[in-house]
Amino acid sequence: TSVFLPELYFTEEQLLGLKDKKGTIDESKWFIEQEIRRKNEIVTDNCLSVIVDRLYLSTLAYCFARSKLNKNPEEFRELIKYYDLKKHLFLEYDHIIIFNNDVETTISRRKDKLSADKQYWIDRKFMKYHQYF
């Protein structure tokens, strides 16, 4: 058996709780908390594969890129400390496969998004930092 967890794995209520945190360290911490929630809610007994769209690595890369772009390395250090405290609570993965689009493809896929943090996803410098991570 396999389990697939799409990126939009959050309830409307949870996403409303995220609304005021967009583009902040609190948003990144919120996503770390969702990794813990994922482990607590998913039954993986007798599962051969768990396929996840979006993982804590995306959160770390996003915060890294945002802190580089905003010249605020303390923000990333704060998230890494938070991550280190929480990572033992995550679902454990035997293998992680990362699909990485080039900057132009990623930007073209995001242009029509009307998100609070849209400015990051269409910024080539941000995307280069994100991919560098």
Side-chain angles (χ1 to χ4, degrees):
T1 7
S2 296
V3 175
F4 176 69
L5 306 177
E7 180 176 4
L8 299 177
Y9 178 68
F10 311 115
T11 66
E12 287 297 318
E13 186 177 315
Q14 288 167 316
L15 290 172
L16 281 174
L18 176 62
K19 186 178 177 182
D20 296 334
K21 298 175 176 132
K22 281 290 195 181
T24 69
I25 187 71
D26 290 334
E27 175 189 30
S28 297
K29 288 178 179 180
W30 184 88
F31 276 107
I32 294 294
E33 291 299 324
Q34 300 320 300
E35 288 292 328
I36 296 165
R37 184 180 61 80
R38 177 179 291 169
K39 178 182 179 179
N40 294 333
E41 290 184 3
I42 300 302
V43 176
T44 57
D45 296 340
N46 302 318
C47 250
L48 297 175
S49 301
V50 177
I51 301 171
V52 180
D53 182 0
R54 196 179 196 298
L55 193 61
Y56 63 90
L57 294 172
S58 299
T59 299
L60 297 178
Y62 178 88
C63 186
F64 171 79
R66 189 177 59 222
S67 70
K68 291 287 279 181
L69 190 68
N70 295 333
K71 295 178 175 53
N72 182 8
E74 187 53 41
E75 178 185 22
F76 185 64
R77 280 194 286 272
E78 180 180 340
L79 184 63
I80 290 299
K81 287 177 188 173
Y82 191 77
Y83 162 79
D84 281 340
L85 288 172
K86 303 284 186 162
K87 68 183 177 186
H88 69 282
L89 300 171
F90 293 178
L91 184 62
E92 293 181 24
Y93 302 98
D94 292 328
H95 304 304
I96 296 174
I97 300 169
I98 298 173
F99 296 99
N100 194 12
N101 291 322
D102 62 86
V103 169
E104 294 307 317
T105 300
T106 302
I107 289 173
S108 70
R109 292 173 69 195
R110 296 247 182 199
K111 274 188 178 172
D112 59 348
K113 304 285 186 195
L114 297 175
S115 63
D117 58 349
K118 178 182 176 181
Q119 78 276 6
Y120 293 122
W121 294 115
I122 60 172
D123 185 301
R124 282 167 181 72
K125 195 172 183 180
F126 172 87
M127 292 307 303
K128 287 182 182 177
Y129 287 139
H130 190 272
Q131 288 185 337
Y132 174 78
F133 179 86

